[in-house]
Amino acid sequence: MDSRIKEAALQLIEASTVTCLTGAGVSAESGISTFRDPQSGYWSQFDPEQLASQRGFKRDPGLVWRWYMERLVGSTINAQPNPGHIALAQLQNRLSNFTLITQNVDNLHEQAGSTNVIHLHGNISTFFCNSCRRDHILSDAERTDDLPPSCHHCGGMIRPGVVWFGEQLPRAEIEAAWSAAQASDVMLVVGTSGIVYPAAGLPSLAQEFGAVIIDINPERDALSSMAEIFLQGPSGEILPQILDEIDKINAK
Ligand code: BJW
Ligand code: ZN
């Protein structure tokens, strides 16, 4: 493993443009459940279509609302950035042209100090009306309600500012992510199962355009097989080791 950490550090230092794509796994060590882990993942308790889709929201708005409010408290009030988030924020200062793209709806990258983060799937702390799409500021009382609040303008249901299955990703974010992937010399992929498109297509796009893929994940999967460097383990342990190695090389 040591030699692969060194190899990853060297690739990152030598790259002119580095892009990082993160998924739920980077926040797992902050106590936020991933989506597809069989023991603790959200999808082990619920059908994704039932919760993260228009159809699911219309069928049972209360269930979807309570699920998001529980996750809002878990990810914004109770969770802190872990050493993986902190190392990524430090990498931004060490490497040239570093772009961080996340599928996560928490704000832990920003809390760790990362800036200009591209959020492909939105943000769980923002809200808008599912009918007229106007923004909504959530009150404390609304957060603890069993049903979604009503829009002050049209009476429609308020929903979290996240991207559900079947919905378009925000155009500016996906275009920025696409450009960053195509320009990358190295793409660091951290804690994602690589199942959900279009985000899952970014590593292969970067590779087609010549990028070296470094994948960090405790589990082997399709992404680890296509990666030039696979670092098996939790990102909260591996990313700080890469950062240390970069600092050692730079100090020589
Ligand atoms: C660790 C760790 C540790 C654990 N350290 N790692 C092409 C082919 C097939 C289907 C499609 C396609 N293109 C589009 C689709 C349909 C669909 C899709 O992809 N479906 C697939 C399931 C097959 N995509 C969409 O619908 C997207 N929209 C779209 O494409 O629109 C196009 C359109 C065109 C025309 C009209 C209309 C639309 C939208 C996708 C939105 C995804 N939304 C969610 C919910 C967001 C809100 C919320 O948070 O509730 O986003 S789903 C969920 O999955 C969430 C995540 O961001 C996303 C990705 O999950 P992620 O991050 O990879 O998590 P996990 O749990 O899967 O993996 C965690 C990983 O961490 C694992 O590998 C662990 O091993 C690892 N790990 N501990 C490091 N300590
Ligand atoms: Zn409205």
Side-chain angles (χ1 to χ4, degrees), residues 131-152:
S131 302
C132 73
R133 303 190 80 82
R134 284 190 176 94
D135 290 342
H136 180 89
I137 308 288
L138 197 72
S139 70
D140 285 348
E142 288 170 338
R143 181 159 50 78
T144 50
D145 270 359
D146 278 346
L147 286 171
S150 300
C151 173
H152 304 314

Side-chain angles (χ1 to χ4, degrees), residues 24 29 35-36 68 71 121 163 166-167 192-193 197 217 235:
E29 288 153 90
F35 290 94
R36 293 171 187 84
Y68 277 101
R71 289 176 53 207
H121 293 163
V163 181
E167 292 183 330
T192 178
S193 56
Y197 284 83
N217 199 307
S235 47

Side-chain angles (χ1 to χ4, degrees), residues 3-135:
S3 65
R4 269 173 299 132
I5 299 263
K6 275 194 188 123
E7 173 62 13
L10 275 172
Q11 289 285 355
L12 287 165
I13 288 175
E14 282 166 9
S16 315
T17 305
V18 176
T19 303
C20 176
L21 172 67
T22 65
V26 78
S27 295
E29 288 153 90
S30 296
I32 300 179
S33 188
T34 64
F35 290 94
R36 293 171 187 84
D37 171 54
Q39 268 89 51
S40 65
Y42 291 121
W43 297 161
S44 64
Q45 298 164 53
F46 298 105
D47 169 6
E49 277 291 298
Q50 219 180 326
L51 297 176
S53 69
Q54 280 292 344
R55 200 145 42 102
F57 188 49
K58 286 187 177 141
R59 190 190 303 127
D60 194 342
L63 174 68
V64 174
W65 183 252
R66 287 190 300 277
W67 184 59
Y68 277 101
M69 290 309 98
E70 190 187 305
R71 289 176 53 207
L72 176 67
V73 172
S75 63
T76 56
I77 299 169
N78 297 337
Q80 294 298 322
N82 67 56
H85 295 108
I86 294 165
L88 284 175
Q90 304 279 330
L91 276 182
Q92 183 170 18
N93 304 327
R94 305 284 199 285
L95 304 173
S96 45
N97 297 321
F98 183 85
T99 303
L100 180 54
I101 305 168
T102 189
Q103 298 167 81
N104 298 345
V105 296
D106 61 49
N107 278 319
L108 293 177
H109 284 306
E110 285 86 349
Q111 280 185 47
S114 290
T115 53
N116 303 320
V117 182
I118 299 173
H119 280 268
L120 290 179
H121 293 163
N123 189 319
I124 198 169
S125 312
T126 64
F127 297 87
F128 68 93
C129 171
N130 201 39
S131 302
C132 73
R133 303 190 80 82
R134 284 190 176 94
D135 290 342

Side-chain angles (χ1 to χ4, degrees), residues 142-220:
E142 288 170 338
R143 181 159 50 78
T144 50
D145 270 359
D146 278 346
L147 286 171
S150 300
C151 173
H152 304 314
H153 301 279
C154 76
M157 287 191 292
I158 298 300
R159 56 165 286 182
V162 301
V163 181
W164 284 333
F165 284 112
E167 292 183 330
Q168 297 276 13
L169 274 64
R171 182 184 285 269
E173 276 76 0
I174 194 68
E175 282 176 359
W178 240 241
S179 303
Q182 291 179 357
S184 305
D185 297 314
V186 173
M187 180 176 272
L188 190 55
V189 183
V190 185
T192 178
S193 56
I195 288 174
V196 176
Y197 284 83
L202 289 168
S204 38
L205 178 70
Q207 197 172 47
E208 268 168 42
F209 277 74
V212 168
I213 309 297
I214 303 172
D215 183 36
I216 302 178
N217 199 307
E219 306 294 334
R220 282 189 177 279

